[in-house]
Amino acid sequence: MRFTLLAGLVALIMPSAALAGGTIDKACRATGRADAGLCGCIQSVADQVLSGGDQRRAAKFFADPDKAQEVRASGSASAEAFWDRYAAFAGMAEAVCTGG
């Protein structure tokens, strides 16, 4: 079942990977740790599951990974809700973009 869901998701988002260039894509590329294809894929997943505000917030994690820990440990209800959305995005991006 999970494989079928992921295969459907890949079919939906991969064509748009070439059109990537959003906040997450730019932050990913700026690190120099991933190629354009991977960064574009991650952006495509972000476009499907994160709001623009969530994408801007998550993009900061690429430049400063300690920010992610700060958000996760903050204890506020809004940070916890964001973290739940971010964790779902991260898991989906890993599964779709790296086959993991």
Side-chain angles (χ1 to χ4, degrees):
M1 175 78 171
R2 181 175 180 209
F3 177 78
T4 304
L5 177 63
L6 289 175
L9 181 61
V10 170
L12 285 173
I13 67 171
M14 289 308 287
S16 65
L19 302 174
T23 306
I24 297 285
D25 178 62
K26 290 174 186 170
C28 176
R29 289 181 191 218
T31 68
R33 295 187 305 255
D35 66 31
L38 177 58
C39 292
C41 181
I42 294 168
Q43 178 67 57
S44 294
V45 174
D47 288 342
Q48 298 297 316
V49 299
L50 294 177
S51 69
D54 282 352
Q55 288 186 39
R56 287 186 295 279
R57 192 171 185 183
K60 295 175 184 173
F61 298 165
F62 285 87
D64 185 0
D66 291 336
K67 285 192 185 294
Q69 185 58 32
E70 290 172 17
V71 170
R72 188 172 184 196
S74 81
S76 78
S78 65
E80 189 172 316
F82 166 75
W83 188 259
D84 289 344
R85 295 187 302 273
Y86 176 76
F89 152 70
M92 187 176 293
E94 180 178 12
V96 171
C97 300
T98 68

